[in-house]
Amino acid sequence: MPNVESSPLIRVENIVAHYDSLEVLHNLTFDVTPRAITVIMGVSGCGKSTLLKLLIGLKKPTSGNIYVDGKNLVKMSRKELDTFRKRIGVLFQGGALFNSMTVGENIAVPLRVHTKLSEETIRIMCQLKLEMVGLAGFEDFMPSQLSGGMRKRAGLARALAMDPEILFFDEPSSGLDPITSAGLDNLILKLKSAFGMTIVVVTHELESAFTIADQLIVMDKGEILAYGTPEEVKKSTNQRVRQFLERQPEEKYSKDSQFLESLLSKA
Amino acid sequence: MVRVISAIGRYGINLVQELGRMGLFFYYSFLGIFKPPGKFFSTIKQVHFIGNKSMAVVSFTAAFSGMVLGLQGYYTLSKFGSEGLLGSAVALSLIRELGPVLTALMVTGRAGSAICAEIGIMRIEEQIEALECMAIDPYSYIIAPKVLGCIIAVPLLTAIFDIVGMLGGYGVGVGLMGVNPGAFIWGMKNSVLNQDVWMGVVKSFFFAVLIIWICCYKGFWAGTRRGSFGAEGVSKATTEAVVLSSVMVLVCDYIITSLML
């Protein structure tokens, strides 16, 4: 367990989740510290994206509780859930921008729906959010005209539109070149230090995770293998954690001939 | 034998589940109409997309349907020496049956499929989840304007279909076949009652609800069912939406006709 001075903003208790009859998360318990970056990492298919869906209320767990400021997210009414969601921002893996709108219109969506700001104020706010993510001047571009990294930044600008307290990132670095990826990591760090945001990042990028994390959760097959500060996780003796951190592949076949034989036997 | 019974049972359960989901979707979409944000401009946009952009194809179909009716009607009626009734035959066929049905089928093919694919792509690209995460009700924001737009546009398109179809019938009957224009117009005027027009309006309203309900529902849950994920899921949903809407329009047409006659 990491040393946390302040009480947790989000407390996940004994969460179990299923897809149909398949149990994908087994009894997970952890805390998300306020004004810190919590990184959930693990191999593809380990259940980290499902966990993110639970944290933002897009999926209900089979059992267990998720407390946000002491209120149970699992048992929230639609109205309470909407109130919670007005406090959060989510950056989806592909940006999830509305393709038929310009970048500026995308950012304006939550502002137009939830506030009574004038169009002029909304326009200025959109410019400000784009400036924050380094996309100033791109408000009239369509999402299809942007590169993958720019689309993620635009998605982040939209997630920041309502000045959220908690930011969730789903695989922010995936599919990005190292320079763009490092730029996004810097941006995440700045958002925490400058605005005191609580940030939860789901990723499988080791370098990015260790650069930004204040606390790390390593998952495998729906279970938490390691949970603590980056230094604590680095010292983990768990074999699977070591394999993940040292980027060792699953060794099924020690020799090429064994690999070829296995293919022939399946043919 | 057990396998057959279990397959029938599974099919039955799936059918009931699907109907239940469709019912809930209809309920949430209906509630969405009355929820914020305001829908004036988004509804106008949908009326333009569903109505204005379908005008060319609807008018084209209407003109040729009316012309065929004029031609077929003339040959049939001339056998009994009743060419003078051509006007009423064309008008009644169009207003009561062909206008609402063919307009609904054209709107399904042109706008319904596009709406289903648009919503389906929003689903697979996580745009609907993004809306939910912004505390915006997707039923209110995406579906409700489309429902309102369709309910406004389809009856108007049906009226245009009827008028263009009658002009087509007039052109062939009077212009080509030599039916007396006075008899044609007189026949139309005397045989078409308010009740006939009302039947056309009721049908077009129900068809509009049916088309938009099925197409939005199929798109909303595209790519989320087992065995059809991603782009394949969207293509499957679009096909299902068009086929089911078209079939249901014809089934619903029979039911409404039998109830209103």
Side-chain angles (χ1 to χ4, degrees):
Chain A
M1 288 269 171
N3 293 323
V4 284
E5 286 165 15
S6 48
S7 59
L9 182 65
I10 302 174
R11 168 157 281 167
V12 176
E13 267 183 12
N14 310 110
I15 281 291
V16 175
H18 285 78
Y19 272 117
D20 295 328
S21 56
L22 182 71
E23 190 172 306
V24 286
L25 296 178
H26 322 295
N27 209 27
L28 305 187
T29 298
F30 64 91
D31 292 338
V32 172
T33 315
R35 290 174 294 282
I37 299 175
T38 303
V39 176
I40 302 165
M41 62 177 189
V43 293
S44 301
C46 71
K48 54 188 189 301
S49 290
T50 308
L51 180 58
L52 183 75
K53 280 188 180 170
L54 295 174
L55 292 176
I56 55 182
L58 282 179
K59 188 175 162 65
K60 292 251 180 216
T62 316
S63 64
N65 299 305
I66 300 166
Y67 294 101
V68 184
D69 277 344
K71 274 195 172 179
N72 195 348
L73 183 71
V74 180
K75 289 176 183 156
M76 276 183 189
S77 64
R78 181 84 214 176
K79 211 174 172 184
E80 287 172 322
L81 202 58
D82 279 350
T83 311
F84 163 68
R85 282 172 174 164
K86 281 179 195 166
R87 292 172 57 195
I88 68 168
V90 183
L91 173 61
F92 286 87
Q93 201 167 341
L97 293 168
F98 306 123
N99 295 331
S100 52
M101 297 179 187
T102 63
V103 171
E105 285 169 342
N106 262 281
I107 301 166
V109 167
L111 296 169
R112 285 192 181 128
V113 175
H114 295 307
T115 69
K116 287 186 174 136
L117 296 171
S118 68
E119 276 304 306
E120 182 57 21
T121 316
I122 288 175
R123 194 180 60 79
I124 293 167
M125 284 192 72
C126 290
Q127 285 172 347
L128 207 71
K129 301 297 169 186
L130 282 171
E131 182 80 46
M132 273 170 76
V133 298
L135 276 183
F138 283 87
E139 51 265 43
D140 294 328
F141 279 63
M142 296 303 284
S144 57
Q145 293 174 292
L146 304 180
S147 69
M150 288 160 97
R151 230 174 287 164
K152 284 200 179 179
R153 281 170 179 265
L156 179 56
R158 190 181 63 187
L160 292 169
M162 294 289 288
D163 296 322
E165 216 177 300
I166 316 167
L167 257 182
F168 293 91
F169 289 80
D170 188 9
E171 305 277 7
S173 313
S174 77
L176 300 183
D177 64 85
I179 297 171
T180 313
S181 177
L184 206 56
D185 287 347
N186 274 342
L187 189 60
I188 294 171
L189 287 168
K190 270 195 194 122
L191 287 173
K192 184 196 77 167
S193 58
F195 300 101
M197 285 179 187
T198 304
I199 296 171
V200 178
V201 180
V202 163
T203 186
H204 58 256
E205 304 277 337
L206 277 176
E207 211 180 319
S208 165
F210 280 98
T211 308
I212 60 175
D214 292 312
Q215 59 175 12
L216 263 172
I217 295 165
V218 183
M219 284 181 66
D220 187 39
K221 293 174 186 159
E223 285 175 350
I224 293 177
L225 298 183
Y227 170 34
T229 61
E231 288 69 33
E232 284 167 346
V233 170
K234 268 182 192 167
K235 286 175 197 158
S236 170
T237 51
N238 182 299
Q239 201 188 342
R240 192 74 178 148
V241 175
R242 297 255 46 94
Q243 188 187 358
F244 182 72
L245 296 182
E246 287 158 20
R247 296 172 52 112
Q248 290 168 353
E250 305 271 9
E251 274 300 332
K252 272 191 185 169
Y253 314 105
S254 54
K255 288 179 185 170
D256 290 348
S257 57
Q258 278 180 330
F259 174 60
L260 291 170
E261 269 170 30
S262 77
L263 289 178
L264 284 171
S265 68
K266 280 174 193 163
Chain B
M1 185 65 185
V2 175
R3 234 184 243 177
V4 174
I5 293 170
S6 78
I8 294 169
R10 212 170 22 246
Y11 179 78
I13 291 168
N14 286 342
L15 185 71
V16 172
Q17 278 182 340
E18 186 80 355
L19 287 174
R21 276 194 216 108
M22 283 188 79
L24 280 176
F25 183 84
F26 185 83
Y27 172 71
Y28 290 136
S29 306
F30 182 73
L31 283 188
I33 293 173
F34 306 102
K35 281 187 187 172
K39 290 165 189 66
F40 182 74
F41 292 108
S42 50
T43 302
I44 296 284
K45 201 176 157 191
Q46 292 304 324
V47 172
H48 171 69
F49 176 71
I50 299 168
N52 196 23
K53 288 194 171 179
S54 302
M55 274 214 347
V57 70
V58 165
S59 303
F60 196 72
T61 314
F64 279 91
S65 303
M67 285 158 73
V68 166
L69 271 179
L71 208 57
Q72 290 278 19
Y74 178 81
Y75 279 109
T76 311
L77 292 170
S78 63
K79 283 179 189 167
F80 309 103
S82 317
E83 297 94 330
L85 291 174
L86 186 63
S88 61
V90 168
L92 283 176
S93 309
L94 282 167
I95 291 170
R96 290 165 69 140
E97 285 300 328
L98 288 177
V101 171
L102 288 181
T103 305
L105 293 179
M106 285 297 125
V107 170
T108 303
R110 205 208 67 80
S113 57
I115 285 170
C116 178
E118 181 194 339
I119 300 172
I121 288 168
M122 289 185 83
R123 168 63 72 190
I124 63 165
E125 288 191 350
E126 296 181 309
Q127 293 171 32
I128 293 176
E129 280 87 346
L131 275 177
E132 287 186 67
C133 289
M134 289 188 267
I136 300 172
D137 181 8
Y139 292 98
S140 169
Y141 193 76
I142 309 172
I143 310 294
K146 295 187 195 306
V147 172
L148 289 172
C150 196
I151 289 173
I152 295 168
V154 171
L156 292 175
L157 282 173
T158 306
I160 291 167
F161 189 106
D162 292 345
I163 291 163
V164 176
M166 281 187 259
L167 285 174
Y170 181 88
V172 169
V174 175
L176 290 179
M177 298 299 152
V179 174
N180 184 290
F184 191 96
I185 301 286
W186 183 87
M188 274 174 35
K189 199 182 161 205
N190 279 286
S191 58
V192 178
L193 305 172
N194 277 346
Q195 192 193 337
D196 301 315
V197 178
W198 181 235
M199 185 192 269
V201 172
V202 169
K203 277 185 181 180
S204 63
F205 173 78
F206 275 101
F207 294 164
V209 173
L210 208 60
I211 295 165
I212 204 68
W213 177 21
I214 293 170
C215 293
C216 286
Y217 169 77
K218 288 287 176 187
F220 198 78
W221 296 113
T224 56
R225 301 285 158 76
R226 209 182 296 170
S228 59
F229 295 109
E232 192 194 347
V234 177
S235 97
K236 202 175 164 188
T238 311
T239 308
E240 283 175 5
V242 172
V243 172
L244 188 62
S245 299
S246 307
V247 170
M248 287 312 291
V249 161
L250 296 173
V251 172
C252 193
D253 182 44
Y254 177 80
I255 295 169
I256 297 172
T257 307
S258 63
L259 289 174
M260 290 190 75
L261 271 180

